[in-house]
Amino acid sequence: MVEAVQDAGVVVTGAGGGIGAALARRFAAEGARVVVNDLDARKAEAVAEEIGGTAVPGDASAIVADARDALGGTVDVYCANAGVGFQDGDLGAALDERTWAAAWDVNLMAHVRAAHALLPDWLERGAGRFVSTVSAAGLLTMIGAPSYSVTKHGAYAFAEWLSLTYRHRGIAVHAVCPQGVRTDMLAATGSAGDLVLQPTAIEPEAVADALLKGIEEDRFLILPHPEVAGFYQARAEEPERWLTTMNHIQQKWEAAR
């Protein structure tokens, strides 16, 4: 059992399925009191009933107050997990303002709004834990998905900023960056996901395991696919070589299409 989450008030957004549902189940198994959020009220209620939690459906950007009430006045752990993924193609095909607006709103601004609502109480108490489900795309970039890649980079940068700004005041932050995870979102990535993500895809439960281990070890960057660390290092050390390699993958994808 992970002592830091026992009897903690935990909120998981986008928890009607996939990674979010796996996180909710794992926190509940660790003895936490869990609020399950999803835009789909029926999915949220089903997971909440399964784990003995509380469903608070709705827009992830605006549920902090209701979640806090459901937990008796205190949120200890907030998992900003809700996200949207798009297979946009190239920028010519992807310059759809609505697609970009949705990606910015859900993948980044929902995290910013939640932190804004949570921080006053956390700073007063000197304790709080913010978990950002980012994606390896936030570290490495994904072919065929400009809006997803850019906004996930933003989500990672925001989590990093939260950590460096508030860690000395008791706020713990974790950025979870998996590659392919066997969820509906992965299935929607189409041929790009088949090429890049499916070969090493893991189950959502493996992401939950990695997060709880990261919480226990008090680590910021959590990599359910350990090989991402090497890719991230190569990207920083030899950006031209890394970009050339990624461009070769892009060409392979274009040829297959």
Side-chain angles (χ1 to χ4, degrees), residues 174 209-220 222:
H174 308 278
D209 290 344
L211 172 59
L212 269 294
K213 184 177 181 182
I215 289 174
E216 192 169 31
E217 296 174 353
D218 197 26
R219 283 187 287 109
F220 168 75
I222 296 172

Side-chain angles (χ1 to χ4, degrees), residues 31-255:
R33 298 169 291 112
V34 182
V35 162
V36 179
N37 162 260
D38 201 275
L39 272 177
D40 189 320
R42 288 180 296 180
K43 289 183 177 180
E45 289 162 3
V47 174
E49 182 177 359
E50 174 193 339
I51 66 172
T54 304
V56 178
D59 185 339
S61 288
I63 55 101
V64 169
D66 288 343
R68 186 183 285 124
D69 289 344
L71 291 169
T74 302
V75 174
D76 299 299
V77 181
Y78 187 92
C79 298
N81 172 78
V84 290
F86 300 99
Q87 184 184 340
D88 306 314
D90 59 28
L91 191 57
L95 195 54
D96 181 331
E97 295 283 348
R98 291 171 298 179
T99 294
W100 279 88
W104 280 115
D105 193 63
V106 179
N107 293 345
L108 174 58
M109 290 309 299
H111 298 205
V112 176
R113 295 182 190 113
H116 183 263
L118 291 160
L119 278 169
D121 178 59
W122 284 358
L123 292 172
E124 183 178 344
R125 290 195 289 133
R129 192 176 299 273
F130 193 93
V131 178
S132 178
T133 300
V134 177
S135 164
L139 299 174
L140 304 173
T141 304
M142 174 64 185
I143 63 169
S147 61
Y148 183 77
S149 296
V150 170
T151 54
K152 287 298 188 177
H153 272 70
Y156 181 78
F158 181 64
E160 203 170 52
W161 181 87
L162 281 177
S163 182
L164 66 87
T165 302
Y166 296 112
R167 61 171 48 206
H168 67 294
R169 299 181 66 181
I171 310 303
V173 182
H174 308 278
V176 188
C177 298
Q179 290 194 113
V181 182
R182 296 187 184 99
T183 65
D184 291 343
M185 187 179 290
L186 176 60
T189 60
S191 58
D194 291 342
L195 177 64
V196 178
L197 303 175
Q198 285 284 6
T200 59
I202 59 177
E203 296 298 330
E205 290 74 19
V207 180
D209 290 344
L211 172 59
L212 269 294
K213 184 177 181 182
I215 289 174
E216 192 169 31
E217 296 174 353
D218 197 26
R219 283 187 287 109
F220 168 75
L221 181 57
I222 296 172
L223 300 175
H225 294 79
E227 62 269 27
V228 169
F231 301 153
Y232 190 38
Q233 183 176 0
R235 175 180 178 267
E237 290 180 345
E238 299 184 85
E240 294 298 331
R241 182 177 180 181
W242 181 81
L243 286 167
T244 298
T245 299
M246 290 300 294
N247 180 252
H248 288 160
I249 296 172
Q250 171 74 21
Q251 292 179 58
K252 184 178 180 179
W253 179 49
E254 290 178 6

